[in-house]
Amino acid sequence: MSLNSTYHIDFHSLKTGESYLYDFPVDDRFFEHWPEGEVAHGNGEVHIRMVKHASMLELTVTIDATVMLTCDRCLDEFLCPVHFEGHPVVKISDTVPDGEHYSGDAHRETNNSDGEVLWITPAEESLDMGQYIYESIMLSLPFQRVHPNIKDCNPDMLQRFRIVSESEFDELTAHAAAADEDTQTQNPFAALANLKQNPEKDENK
């Protein structure tokens, strides 16, 4: 999927042997181009350093962003930091190997290479970095999408799913068995402690 010219680099006008710097935004409008993707909201920046050679482009790509994810543990949304560093090489050739042509669309899926060697022809008007940036962010997401601190999870959902481990359960309920004397309101995790102490009572409801 091609984005607008914001994420395109016109490599034809560059001088061989020179280094060039580019900064691109990562925001909600960027993620709108992948409506079926996991991420819909985010904010950050992409920094690209590119050196043009006679028949290739040498890139250093750095991405620092924060994206909104859904917690696998409690289903609430949370902000997740993302950091990526890549060094793709874009080879410019009239004879592109089968399966290696890069047009800005899913190069890590269609290319036989490891994703860090891209191929384009001299006829390409520009280098579209949008797909590369998007895929790099997706590959940098943690395998387990959960709140870094379990105490930030929604306690009602944890109680409903009962998916916390024994150690996590003990950590959450250690100081939540009694009502808060100052506010006279019960800690939201106290219900979890009561549930653990009286499992049969809950099951018989």
Side-chain angles (χ1 to χ4, degrees), residues 15-176:
K15 295 182 179 180
T16 301
E18 295 290 330
S19 177
Y20 299 88
L21 300 177
Y22 300 90
D23 295 322
F24 298 122
V26 172
D27 51 24
D28 291 356
R29 294 180 61 185
F30 173 80
F31 291 108
E32 287 177 358
H33 292 271
W34 292 271
E36 303 301 324
E38 180 180 358
V39 177
H41 304 286
N43 184 54
E45 293 183 343
V46 180
H47 305 287
I48 299 178
R49 178 181 180 273
M50 184 170 68
V51 178
K52 182 180 181 181
H53 301 283
S55 59
M56 72 176 186
L57 306 172
E58 186 178 3
L59 284 72
T60 298
V61 180
T62 304
I63 303 174
D64 284 294
T66 301
V67 299
M68 185 75 73
L69 298 177
T70 299
C71 178
D72 293 336
R73 190 163 47 204
C74 72
L75 302 184
D76 274 7
E77 292 184 329
F78 72 100
L79 294 176
C80 177
V82 174
H83 178 75
F84 171 83
E85 293 185 12
H87 304 276
V89 173
V90 182
K91 296 186 178 181
I92 307 171
S93 175
D94 285 316
T95 56
V96 177
D98 291 339
E100 295 292 338
H101 185 257
Y102 173 69
S103 60
D105 291 325
H107 62 270
R108 286 189 173 95
E109 295 179 4
T110 60
N111 284 10
N112 295 326
S113 67
D114 61 2
E116 293 301 296
V117 178
L118 316 177
W119 293 80
I120 60 175
T121 68
E124 296 283 347
E125 296 183 357
S126 61
L127 175 64
D128 180 0
M129 292 300 298
Q131 186 73 27
Y132 182 89
I133 295 170
Y134 175 78
E135 291 180 2
S136 298
I137 292 175
M138 294 301 103
L139 291 174
S140 300
L141 296 179
F143 178 76
Q144 189 176 25
R145 274 76 149 163
V146 296
H147 285 90
N149 190 334
I150 192 174
K151 295 180 180 179
D152 294 327
C153 282
N154 185 325
D156 293 333
M157 297 302 290
L158 293 183
Q159 179 180 355
R160 179 176 301 178
F161 295 140
R162 301 187 189 181
I163 57 176
V164 293
S165 67
E166 187 70 19
S167 61
E168 291 172 333
F169 193 100
D170 292 339
E171 177 186 353
L172 288 171
T173 61
H175 304 291

